[in-house]
Amino acid sequence: VVQQLKLEVHDELLRRMNLKNLTLSGAGAGEIAKQAQTTIQTILNEFSNRMPRGVDMAILEREILNEAIGLGCIEDLLANADVTEIMCNGANNIYVEKAGSLFRTDLMFADNNQLLTVIERNTLADPGLSANLSFLGGSGRPDKLIAGRWAGSG
């Protein structure tokens, strides 16, 4: 239920804000983030009667903001100095490397399209992020993404 509401809030955010045009117009990252956050708060308030009890609205807001203008569910992983590599085998299988060991996370993207959007939007924007995409036999769908921080970044 929460995942579906997140998708609806995200779609409504995109309907209300043209993030691509804001970026192209020269708006700074801080300005875009502030406008997006304010709009997300407004939309979440409008959707509040549909939210299940116990949902942490601050976490939900941060997740939606990260999905809209950042690296989605892996944003916090990239900020974690202990994580040396993040590997996504499709939208639902996200692994991290810490101290040379591989661990599966409970994080997931909404779908492979969201994963591809995050890659597209951010790989070139962050010089410390690299992506290695392998595709299933011509289907155009991601089989594997490896996004790792290079030495000295992050």
Side-chain angles (χ1 to χ4, degrees), residues 78-107:
L78 284 170
N80 184 337
D82 294 333
V83 173
T84 54
E85 194 163 356
I86 301 167
M87 292 153 275
C88 303
N89 188 358
N92 299 321
N93 298 302
I94 301 174
Y95 299 85
V96 296
E97 181 181 301
K98 292 182 180 182
S101 296
L102 195 60
F103 302 93
R104 185 172 182 179
T105 72
D106 59 353
L107 301 172

Side-chain angles (χ1 to χ4, degrees), residues 7-126:
L7 289 172
E8 291 178 34
V9 171
H10 188 266
D11 288 345
E12 184 64 19
L13 173 67
L14 294 179
R15 192 181 69 68
R16 294 183 190 191
M17 288 183 67
N18 190 329
L19 295 172
K20 192 173 194 174
N21 279 351
L22 271 174
T23 302
L24 293 174
S25 74
E31 179 183 345
I32 292 170
K34 185 174 180 167
Q35 286 183 27
Q37 186 170 19
T38 300
T39 305
I40 290 166
Q41 288 169 344
T42 300
I43 296 167
L44 285 174
N45 284 335
E46 294 168 6
F47 281 47
S48 63
N49 62 333
R50 298 175 51 199
M51 289 292 168
R53 295 190 194 282
V55 172
D56 186 325
M57 296 300 278
I59 291 173
L60 184 61
E61 179 184 318
R62 187 180 79 232
E63 289 175 354
I64 295 167
L65 183 64
N66 286 343
E67 291 167 4
I69 64 172
L71 291 166
C73 63
I74 64 171
E75 188 84 34
D76 291 338
L77 296 175
L78 284 170
N80 184 337
D82 294 333
V83 173
T84 54
E85 194 163 356
I86 301 167
M87 292 153 275
C88 303
N89 188 358
N92 299 321
N93 298 302
I94 301 174
Y95 299 85
V96 296
E97 181 181 301
K98 292 182 180 182
S101 296
L102 195 60
F103 302 93
R104 185 172 182 179
T105 72
D106 59 353
L107 301 172
M108 66 181 72
F109 289 94
D111 55 29
N112 283 337
N113 287 332
Q114 185 183 55
L115 173 59
L116 285 174
T117 299
V118 165
I119 295 165
E120 203 173 75
R121 181 187 322 125
N122 293 284
T123 307
L124 296 176
D126 183 349

